Amino acid sequence: MNLQQLYYFRELASCEHYTKASEKLFITQSTLSHSIADLEAELGIKLFEKQGRNIKLTKYGEIFLEYAAKSLDTLEEGRAKINDLIHPDSGTISLGYFSSLEEFLPYLVDCFYAETNKMQTLFQFQQLPNNQIEERLLAGKVDLAFATHINNDKLHCHKIGTHNLALIVSRNHALSQKDSVDLSELQAESFITYDYQCRIRFYIDEIFDLAGIKPKIFLETTHDAIIYKYVAANCGVGLVPEPFVIKNHNVKSLRIENEMPLRDIFIIWKNVKHISPAVKKFLNFVVKLERPIDEFRNAVSAH
């Protein structure tokens, strides 16, 4: 058994067709057939069986695929880590974040490039709901995340600023004549808000309780864009993270006059021994900034 056979087996299991798999692997169908036959002979089992013009894994093949895929994934991860050590400035960093931080993340990356000149470092942006951020961090599918605090011993959290709520209303709403609002004025309003897949919904419920409001919910969603769309259409009002920039000209943001619990934002990473040099450099850069969200808010306000 060799690595090449395992790669061939994994691709064939994915394609379920010898011709398609051989084309993807850039080998002849005969070469693929002989390789799989040799692997089956060594294991003493049939890995595939015919299903019409295609093939499918046998029950033994399904079991073997699980372990073969894990082995290949581990080897590929090891190769990537070695590459990180050899080329520490050319790594790829995957960032997970809330949609309400979509303007902040590019700003942060631009600051990193400007200060370090590490233009070879590539960034991947994954806009995620709360319930997926923790999951992808633990699975290693995201290197760093920007979110509210996650209480998990396997994760480190470092505060980078606060991002409290604002009220958004339609430009046609009576409240649009104001710049700030007391929550007691919202008793009769309908709300467009987040559903409970989003951790912020629990924070908003806490705000409602503190204000003594039993909200009338018109619509629940996981997407900021949908909240803005329905507020712009004057279907209700919304409590959202204070927008850095409002892209919808039919929406106005109002400051909330009431005292509220702070909503802190953190940079979060997995507690592991190995962090790639590229990720470590960016992490150290962000931590050194102390409160980059507040700096970004001030920079936007100045313009």
Side-chain angles (χ1 to χ4, degrees):
M1 186 184 306
N2 56 51
L3 270 178
Q4 189 176 65
Q5 287 175 317
L6 294 181
Y7 279 114
Y8 288 178
F9 166 65
R10 184 174 67 175
E11 188 60 47
L12 183 57
S14 174
C15 292
E16 296 185 334
H17 197 283
Y18 272 96
T19 303
K20 292 178 181 178
S22 60
E23 288 174 353
K24 284 193 171 185
L25 292 165
F26 299 101
I27 60 174
T28 65
Q29 186 172 329
S30 175
T31 298
L32 178 59
S33 297
H34 282 108
S35 180
I36 297 300
D38 289 343
L39 182 59
E40 289 178 326
E42 182 176 345
L43 293 171
I45 56 171
K46 293 293 290 182
L47 294 169
F48 296 95
E49 58 188 6
K50 288 185 177 180
Q51 188 178 53
R53 295 184 177 182
N54 292 359
I55 57 170
K56 68 173 184 178
L57 289 166
T58 64
K59 65 178 182 179
Y60 304 109
E62 290 177 354
I63 294 171
F64 187 64
L65 177 62
E66 179 182 351
Y67 290 94
K70 284 181 181 177
S71 298
L72 292 174
D73 288 345
T74 300
L75 288 170
E76 288 166 2
E77 182 182 353
R79 182 170 60 183
K81 288 180 178 178
I82 293 297
N83 187 63
D84 285 339
L85 293 172
I86 298 172
H87 306 289
D89 295 330
S90 60
T92 298
I93 304 172
S94 178
L95 305 178
Y97 62 98
F98 303 150
S99 58
S100 57
L101 297 175
E102 64 179 350
E103 290 92 7
F104 167 68
L105 266 295
Y107 160 82
L108 197 58
V109 170
D110 286 346
C111 290
F112 173 74
Y113 284 148
E115 180 167 316
T116 66
N117 202 32
K118 303 295 184 186
M119 302 300 292
Q120 309 96 313
T121 304
L122 301 178
F123 289 86
Q124 296 175 341
F125 297 90
Q126 296 189 40
Q127 190 179 112
L128 302 166
N130 296 86
N131 62 335
Q132 291 184 23
I133 286 179
E134 181 176 3
E135 174 187 322
R136 295 203 183 187
L137 275 169
L138 293 173
K141 295 179 180 179
V142 164
D143 296 309
L144 302 168
F146 295 83
T148 50
H149 189 272
I150 298 176
N151 188 21
N152 190 312
D153 292 340
K154 295 180 180 179
L155 300 174
H156 286 303
C157 299
H158 176 85
K159 182 178 173 180
I160 60 169
T162 59
H163 197 192
N164 292 328
L165 298 185
L167 181 77
I168 56 171
V169 300
S170 165
R171 291 281 180 180
N172 296 320
H173 194 286
L175 288 172
S176 67
Q177 303 304 313
K178 307 180 70 170
D179 293 320
S180 65
V181 64
D182 189 288
L183 292 174
S184 62
E185 300 176 59
L186 307 179
Q187 289 280 5
E189 300 293 339
S190 295
F191 286 86
I192 319 297
T193 190
Y194 301 89
D195 74 20
Y196 287 102
Q197 291 183 61
C198 302
R199 195 173 288 122
I200 192 174
R201 176 60 186 276
F202 297 95
Y203 176 72
I204 290 173
D205 284 354
E206 182 183 357
I207 301 302
F208 285 142
D209 287 341
L210 289 172
I213 295 174
K214 293 184 178 179
K216 295 183 293 184
I217 306 299
F218 176 80
L219 178 72
E220 296 176 322
T221 178
T222 58
H223 300 286
D224 291 60
I226 293 177
I227 295 177
Y228 276 81
K229 177 182 176 180
Y230 278 89
V231 167
N234 210 14
C235 296
V237 301
L239 287 174
V240 298
E242 182 183 4
F244 300 112
V245 178
I246 296 184
K247 297 178 181 178
N248 191 320
H249 297 299
N250 291 321
V251 170
K252 183 177 180 180
S253 173
L254 308 182
R255 181 178 60 83
I256 296 173
E257 298 168 358
N258 312 65
E259 286 190 18
M260 297 184 295
L262 293 177
R263 182 172 176 266
D264 295 328
I265 302 296
F266 297 79
I267 183 170
I268 307 172
W269 65 100
K270 191 176 179 181
N271 182 13
V272 292
K273 290 182 178 179
H274 174 84
I275 297 179
S276 78
V279 172
K280 190 171 184 178
K281 284 185 179 180
F282 183 68
L283 174 61
N284 290 340
F285 168 79
V286 175
V287 169
K288 185 183 71 173
L289 292 177
E290 294 186 359
R291 297 290 184 269
I293 286 183
D294 303 333
E295 292 175 14
F296 176 58
R297 183 184 295 110
N298 293 335
V300 171
S301 298
H303 289 85

